[in-house]
Amino acid sequence: MKNFAKRVLFFIFFIALLLTAVYLGFDLKSNPYILTKMDNQVIESEGKYLIPGGQTIGVELKTEGVLVVGLADIINTDKLSISPAKIAGVQIGDKILAIDSIEIEDTDDILEYTNNQGVKNYSLEIEREGKIFNLNITPVQIYKSNEIKFGFWARDDIAGIGTVTFIDPETGKFSAIGHGISDSDTGSLIDIESGTISKANITSIKIGKKGEPGEIIGYILKDEDSLGTVENNTDFGIYGNINKQSLGFFSNNLIEVGKKEEIKLGKAQIYSCVNNEIQIYDVEITKIFYQNKPDEKSFVIKIVDPELLELTNGIIQGMSGCPVIQNNKMVGAVTHVFMNDPTKGYGIYIEWIFDEIYSNSNKFDI
């Protein structure tokens, strides 16, 4: 009898263990945080409400110093092809901070100073991978011209189209883009000195294809006042301060912040403005990544909304930053599209963005 009772108890225990394993196995698949006690706590966001974004905006950034984006050979007065920049050791991605100890803010500063000084030896203060050093470089005069050239291409500003993720009504801070803005020539995250966001007008949509990302095509409405100022360019997007008088451009609705532990596989929505007005489109969260440190690829979404698929064929450039909503909570933002399947892309946990903003800046009143 005792042996029978032991067998029954063992059988009950085994069935309970099996059911628990099946249940937790499903839950772990749908949310990998269910059994974890997180030590990497982010800035507290529980009970926090935000103004959802989705608006397409123009972004204009002024870089710190002048960024070298290319090297070139020059035909000098002796008809020889030469690149003084290459000879001096200048590299693509270098940031020119000063010339002859004179601080440089833009390319015009370089042109004005060197045109006045002519051909001579110049000392460039360069920043490369966080290290500061000096390079000596002598430009050459172009064949059959009075112009002098160093043999590098440079720029000091960047402009493009992106999407607002959220505005914090308590502080006036905004987040946009969802991923860092990198130089297209160097791939490096761009250090910025200042920047603005403004209203933008969408003129057309380039539909995404396999191996060829689509794009929102439009222009920045420069005749209107800016919506806000950009404070920083980070791996998780840009953030800054919304102008108080511009708050009317955004929704009056508030939405609660969702924690990564709450995200589940399945139905969700994104807010987007690809048709020049904000719409809510259906998506599915198809994969969730466990992350013990912030990363811009936190989960995978698939566009399933027929209207959005007809407009864009999926995720296109300019949609980065679109807020991702699940169960009436903002859980993340769109970051990247899959090159081999434009209907799919990555999202980032909203907590990672929130933490980036408030761990690196102070709150303020608008």
Side-chain angles (χ1 to χ4, degrees):
M1 188 68 178
K2 288 182 179 180
N3 287 337
F4 178 75
K6 286 182 180 178
R7 289 175 182 175
V8 170
L9 289 172
F10 176 78
F11 180 75
I12 293 172
F13 172 76
F14 177 77
I15 293 298
L17 187 65
L18 183 62
L19 290 173
T20 301
V22 171
Y23 172 76
L24 287 180
F26 174 78
D27 263 20
L28 283 171
K29 183 179 179 182
S30 62
N31 192 309
Y33 294 94
I34 192 167
L35 291 181
T36 63
K37 181 179 180 182
M38 298 302 294
D39 294 323
N40 57 314
Q41 294 298 317
V42 297
I43 299 294
E44 183 54 50
S45 59
E46 187 170 357
K48 179 73 177 177
Y49 285 81
L50 301 170
I51 299 171
Q55 297 84 0
T56 301
I57 54 166
V59 180
E60 296 177 280
L61 303 177
K62 171 75 175 63
T63 65
E64 289 184 353
V66 173
L67 190 66
V68 176
V69 297
L71 300 172
D73 288 334
I74 308 298
I75 304 298
N76 65 11
T77 52
D78 295 325
K79 299 184 182 180
L80 297 176
S81 179
I82 187 172
S83 174
K86 290 179 186 177
I87 295 171
V90 175
Q91 297 181 14
I92 295 175
D94 285 351
K95 195 188 316 178
I96 303 172
L97 304 177
I99 183 166
D100 289 347
S101 299
I102 300 171
E103 187 176 335
I104 295 298
E105 294 187 357
D106 51 42
T107 53
D108 287 340
D109 288 344
I110 296 178
L111 292 173
E112 183 178 349
Y113 179 72
T114 56
N115 285 338
N116 288 332
Q117 296 292 314
V119 176
K120 77 177 195 70
N121 187 52
Y122 293 90
S123 175
L124 300 186
E125 184 179 319
I126 299 285
E127 180 180 336
R128 180 185 301 162
E129 297 179 351
K131 297 180 180 179
I132 307 293
F133 54 94
N134 289 288
L135 294 176
N136 293 316
I137 179 171
T138 302
V140 295
Q141 185 175 330
I142 298 178
Y143 178 65
K144 289 187 177 180
S145 171
N146 291 325
E147 284 188 85
I148 63 171
K149 295 289 184 182
F150 288 89
F152 62 77
W153 296 98
R155 69 178 181 205
D156 52 48
D157 55 10
I158 293 167
I161 299 290
T163 298
V164 174
T165 303
F166 66 78
I167 298 96
D168 186 342
E170 293 182 4
T171 65
K173 289 200 175 296
F174 75 88
S175 172
I177 311 296
H179 61 77
I181 298 177
S182 301
D183 184 81
S184 58
D185 299 289
T186 67
S188 301
L189 191 69
I190 295 172
D191 294 324
I192 66 167
E193 182 180 284
S194 60
T196 59
I197 61 169
S198 305
K199 296 178 184 178
N201 187 53
I202 299 171
T203 55
S204 62
I205 297 292
K206 178 185 175 183
I207 292 177
K209 301 176 182 178
K210 183 178 180 180
E212 186 179 339
E215 182 182 3
I216 295 175
I217 299 171
Y219 59 89
I220 301 171
L221 298 175
K222 295 188 177 184
D223 293 336
E224 299 192 24
D225 293 336
S226 70
L227 297 171
T229 56
V230 180
E231 185 178 330
N232 204 354
N233 176 34
T234 77
D235 288 325
F236 309 134
I238 61 171
Y239 67 82
N241 308 313
I242 291 294
N243 298 331
K244 186 175 182 179
Q245 64 271 23
S246 300
L247 280 175
F249 176 69
F250 303 96
S251 166
N252 290 322
N253 299 324
L254 295 176
I255 189 166
E256 189 174 358
V257 174
K259 291 180 173 292
K260 54 188 177 299
E261 293 88 348
E262 300 177 271
I263 302 176
K264 301 290 184 183
L265 297 180
K267 293 181 180 179
Q269 300 81 36
I270 63 171
Y271 290 9
S272 183
C273 194
V274 292
N275 207 16
N276 266 324
E277 62 177 299
I278 291 184
Q279 302 255 358
I280 300 175
Y281 297 105
D282 291 329
V283 303
E284 287 185 359
I285 297 176
T286 61
K287 191 170 185 177
I288 301 169
F289 300 109
Y290 173 80
Q291 294 174 339
N292 58 11
K293 62 180 181 178
D295 191 279
E296 62 191 48
K297 296 178 180 179
S298 304
F299 54 88
V300 175
I301 66 171
K302 179 178 175 66
I303 305 296
V304 296
D305 195 289
E307 184 180 348
L308 185 57
L309 288 172
E310 185 177 351
L311 279 170
T312 64
N313 199 34
I315 299 169
I316 59 176
Q317 293 177 11
M319 287 176 62
S320 296
C322 288
V324 180
I325 313 299
Q326 189 178 60
N327 295 325
N328 297 316
K329 291 186 178 182
M330 189 186 300
V331 296
V334 176
T335 59
H336 299 82
V337 63
F338 283 16
M339 287 297 292
N340 62 345
D341 184 357
T343 67
K344 294 181 179 179
Y346 290 105
I348 180 174
Y349 296 135
I350 202 69
E351 288 181 281
W352 292 157
I353 299 176
F354 212 71
D355 187 49
E356 182 69 35
I357 293 176
Y358 288 115
S359 63
N360 289 290
S361 61
N362 298 318
K363 293 186 178 183
F364 67 98
D365 294 323
I366 58 174

